[in-house]
Amino acid sequence: MLQDIEPYLACPHCARPLTLDGRTLRCPGGHSHDLAKQGYVSLLAGDAHTGTGDTADMVAARADFLAAGHYRPIADALAEAAVEAVAEAGGGAPDGDGPGGLVADLGAGTGHYLARVLDALPGRPGAALDISKYALRRAARAHPRIGAVVCDAWRPLPLLDASAGLVLNVFAPRNGPEIRRVLRPGGTLLLVSPTSRHLRELVDTLGLLSVDEEKQRRIDEKLGPYLTPVGRREVEFTVRLSADDVRTVVGMGPSAWHTDPARLAERLAALPDPVGVTASVTVAAYRR
């Protein structure tokens, strides 16, 4: 699957183009990167580490929760926004390369959202970029046109300049300068972020991390020097979650790092089963 994204990849050491030779990516500078048997390739710089990536348990929780369809409206809204972005950029039909080319998902996780977007853009290759090898083992199998790459979102991305027509960022770190660098002129960043109402029925009861009401403003300010906001939509709906679903949604997100399992079990017992929970996100578009 790396064949589809090979023309867009850059060596993490010298930023020169990479060429696939069997199961190894090589650059003119002599650097080589072997494809893991699970289907992904690591393009981390030598001094980088994956300690901040999602754990195997977090990834498994996310995979189960997303596979159950609880966040399908978010994936559908993102795919719709992707088709609109390609058309507005002059890409013509979704299955034509046009000015679009690569779809890069920064912080792709299991590849769930990228796969949905690629279904809506049938001719596009997709690069799943994440620091968690556990997530990328799943992303490599999530869609026939996904190539999975281990990298650090806060370092230079292993993509060539102006290689992506579309960058996705769903509940993930945002590196404004690098997103601008890899976007083609007229390319679009589609950013999904939670509103302050997201999971509100669980936040106080279970002691989860909350979302600042000023989050969207702060995102706009940080991206402002690099990209121009061109539109946004809110997606809000109610999901009915069993006790197991609630454990899963806690375990798949940042609260997993900060929640005591024993205390969580006590608080879960106080919730109705099932419980109605608000899912609320903003899908924002920014253009280079």
Side-chain angles (χ1 to χ4, degrees), residues 112-139:
H112 175 83
Y113 294 103
L114 177 57
R116 178 67 184 87
V117 168
L118 293 182
D119 282 341
L121 303 175
R124 310 283 173 163
L129 308 174
D130 204 286
I131 200 169
S132 170
K133 62 182 181 181
Y134 302 109
L136 291 178
R137 289 173 181 174
R138 296 176 183 265

